[in-house]
Amino acid sequence: MTMIQCISPIDGSVYAEREAMSLEAAKDAVHRARKAQKAWARRPLEERVQLVLKGVARLNEMSDEVVPELAHMMGRPVRYGGEYKGFNERSNYVASIAADALAPLVIEDSATFERRIEREPHGVVLVIAPWNYPYMTAINTVAPALMAGNTVVIKHATQTLLVGERMVRAFVEAGVPEDVFINLFLDHATTTALIATGSFDFINFTGSVEGGRSIERAAAGTFAGIGLELGGKDPGYVMEDADLEAAVDTLMDGATYNSGQCCCGIERIYVHESLYDAFVEKSVAWVSNYKLGNPLDPETTLGPMAHRRFAAHVREQIAAAVAKGAKALVDPKLFPEDDGHAYLMPQILVNVDHSMSFMKDETFGPAVGIMKVKNDAEAIELMNDSPYGLTASLWTQDSARAARIGREIETGTVFMNRADYLDPALCWTGCKDTGRGGSLSVIGFQNLTRPKSYHLKKVTK
């Protein structure tokens, strides 16, 4: 018997554990999901949409369970109230566009021919969800996949072991049939075996680059569709005409919120030389106001990282950068709660450059490097000097300039005067080692369905 354990970052204790399913039991569960799919897809679209929204509403009613569980499992302070704002916004938006996104493309409807392209669900969709925003990242695929007529199997990260169980419980209690949305507790070997045997028609994975490679290797030859959101090293660029106060507030929040464990968090910032000193000074002051501590304490604004090994990685990156000449500006005396393990203080580094891992490789923690630049060309070169491409945040009063720079940046989303936000009306996508495919928006529905063409010649007597 293999047990899957969630180790709480609060105190290092085992917070939750579940038995890993055997391969045969998992195959049986997926088979039930496949058998249920056709009947689910035959239901009217509006009925499927409303059942999903009822599941979302039911999960909202479970906030007294969900919010403290998140604090225990991955360290986010309870004061932030979980992930309901984004969870609801994304669900409601995809519900509002489902009918249009899935509507047939009619080429001809005449006395002689009917020609059209319809969107058909793939079948069984596997969602492998991450721990950093465990509800919001999952709903990006779960909601539109179910609305489109797929059945969904969710396998959640060990660090947020209970999230898939909670989501499925909410949806089933709201009326979604049991075999239409199922949660499986799987180890890596069983997950790999299920994928390799062609159990799924589409796979969505959010996680590490190496994890994405493992998914692609496992799925090779099955012809299953794959959506991958992997690593990131998202840049910010503050131009000479930027609103300095707004830039500091948004970029520092984007760099440190959720202990920096955000897919589109800001990990490196390039500031025009005319604003550099002021930006750095204000940023250090902003970050120094955090209260690091137990996430169950409503006064805590910065909790522990989700696991002590994640915090160790950030510390190692910072130490290596400092050894190469970087300077850490946030005073450790302000954060006595930093225990050298999961509880990690925020940090800002200057005197950094791209010879340092800290400015090139994913950090995924509450630490950010700030570099001085002379012009747009230098900033563009540095922003593109990364194996990743999820988002970039540009700060200027000139939208035409931002658009022009945006076309030169290798990224999935270009922000102007904001950061660290997922707009459900836009496609959430990346390039390079950040992955492939896209979720949400009309394009998200297209990725979760396949086109089927109808060429109907009418016979007249």
Side-chain angles (χ1 to χ4, degrees):
M1 179 189 304
T2 300
M3 300 300 293
I4 302 173
Q5 294 184 329
C6 168
I7 306 298
S8 175
I10 292 177
D11 57 9
S13 65
V14 176
Y15 176 68
E17 61 181 354
R18 295 289 187 272
E19 183 179 351
M21 296 180 72
S22 69
L23 178 58
E24 287 308 310
K27 284 181 176 179
D28 287 344
V30 175
H31 177 68
R32 292 195 300 272
R34 186 167 296 283
K35 283 184 66 176
Q37 189 270 321
K38 294 293 186 183
W40 174 248
R42 282 194 294 268
R43 292 196 184 203
L45 171 60
E46 184 57 25
E47 183 180 326
R48 298 196 303 265
V49 169
Q50 290 305 315
L51 282 170
V52 170
L53 291 179
K54 287 178 181 178
V56 169
R58 179 68 187 102
L59 190 71
N60 275 256
E61 295 170 353
M62 296 161 59
S63 63
D64 288 346
E65 296 174 71
V66 166
V67 174
E69 279 179 356
L70 284 175
H72 279 288
M73 290 189 293
M74 50 77 63
R76 186 183 304 122
V78 294
R79 68 178 288 131
Y80 298 122
E83 300 171 21
Y84 285 109
K85 181 179 178 181
F87 186 85
N88 295 339
E89 180 184 33
R90 298 172 192 188
S91 303
N92 291 334
Y93 182 78
V94 295
S96 74
I97 67 168
D100 288 339
L102 297 171
L105 176 61
V106 178
I107 310 301
E108 181 182 357
D109 187 5
S110 68
T112 308
F113 284 101
E114 289 182 30
R115 294 185 295 142
R116 64 183 179 272
I117 303 168
E118 295 187 0
R119 304 300 310 186
E120 188 162 285
H122 287 302
V124 182
V125 172
L126 173 64
V127 177
I128 305 177
W131 51 263
N132 62 321
Y133 282 93
Y135 285 98
M136 287 200 292
T137 52
I139 205 65
N140 292 351
T141 303
V142 170
L146 289 173
M147 291 176 187
N150 299 284
T151 51
V152 174
V153 176
I154 187 169
K155 184 268 180 193
H156 226 292
T158 300
Q159 196 61 46
T160 40
L161 188 63
L162 303 181
V163 171
E165 189 175 77
R166 289 284 175 261
M167 287 183 69
V168 168
R169 177 186 138 198
F171 279 52
V172 170
E173 288 179 358
V176 174
E178 286 190 6
D179 292 333
V180 166
F181 183 26
I182 63 174
N183 173 69
L184 301 184
F185 295 108
L186 305 173
D187 59 24
H188 292 311
T190 303
T191 304
T192 299
L194 283 174
I195 293 172
T197 54
S199 299
F200 307 106
D201 304 292
F202 188 88
I203 303 158
N204 184 270
F205 172 79
T206 305
S208 69
V209 174
E210 189 49 48
R213 292 191 177 111
S214 296
I215 298 296
E216 286 198 325
R217 284 193 293 267
T222 68
F223 307 120
I226 300 177
L228 301 172
E229 186 198 323
L230 310 175
K233 192 72 179 175
D234 290 8
Y237 172 33
V238 181
M239 300 171 221
E240 70 279 1
D241 65 338
D243 180 330
L244 182 60
E245 298 292 339
V248 168
D249 183 61
T250 301
L251 291 174
M252 287 303 104
D253 181 69
T256 56
Y257 181 75
N258 203 40
S259 296
Q261 300 165 132
C262 302
C263 299
C264 56
I266 297 296
E267 296 211 357
R268 52 200 175 106
I269 301 173
Y270 308 100
V271 183
H272 188 270
E273 57 189 4
S274 64
L275 293 182
Y276 177 81
D277 290 339
F279 182 89
V280 169
E281 180 181 359
K282 289 177 180 293
S283 294
V284 172
W286 196 101
V287 167
S288 297
N289 284 325
Y290 267 118
K291 177 173 172 32
L292 177 64
N294 189 315
L296 297 171
D297 181 349
E299 298 300 314
T300 294
T301 55
L302 192 71
M305 294 193 67
H307 197 283
R308 62 173 59 191
R309 75 174 183 274
F310 305 152
H313 168 72
V314 180
R315 289 189 177 95
E316 288 166 4
Q317 267 199 348
I318 291 173
V322 170
K324 283 190 166 188
K327 183 178 180 181
L329 298 182
V330 180
D331 187 353
K333 293 178 183 177
L334 298 173
F335 297 93
E337 302 85 0
D338 188 320
D339 64 354
H341 299 296
Y343 288 86
L344 174 67
M345 65 173 281
Q347 191 53 270
I348 292 172
L349 298 188
V350 294
N351 298 345
V352 289
D353 59 50
H354 279 221
S355 71
M356 302 171 181
S357 171
F358 185 76
M359 294 297 287
K360 294 274 285 185
D361 301 320
E362 188 168 39
T363 301
F364 222 61
V368 64
I370 305 176
M371 285 180 66
K372 184 188 300 183
V373 295
K374 292 184 174 64
N375 51 44
D376 293 349
E378 184 181 5
I380 292 167
E381 182 179 0
L382 289 168
M383 284 190 282
N384 284 338
D385 186 27
S386 169
Y388 307 109
L390 185 58
T391 78
S393 178
L394 308 180
W395 289 81
T396 176
Q397 305 297 318
D398 187 342
S399 59
R401 181 183 180 188
R404 186 171 61 251
I405 293 171
R407 293 185 191 101
E408 300 297 321
I409 304 172
E410 297 158 355
T411 190
T413 294
V414 178
F415 290 114
M416 185 181 84
N417 299 332
R418 75 178 314 173
D420 192 25
Y421 172 70
L422 191 157
D423 183 340
L426 301 176
C427 183
W428 192 242
T429 186
C431 61
K432 300 193 285 190
D433 282 0
T434 290
R436 59 187 291 188
S439 61
L440 298 173
S441 76
V442 171
I443 294 172
F445 274 110
Q446 293 173 351
N447 286 336
L448 290 164
T449 55
R450 64 180 181 86
K452 177 182 277 189
S453 294
Y454 288 79
H455 194 148
L456 310 179
K457 182 179 180 180
K458 299 179 179 178
V459 177
T460 57
K461 293 182 181 179

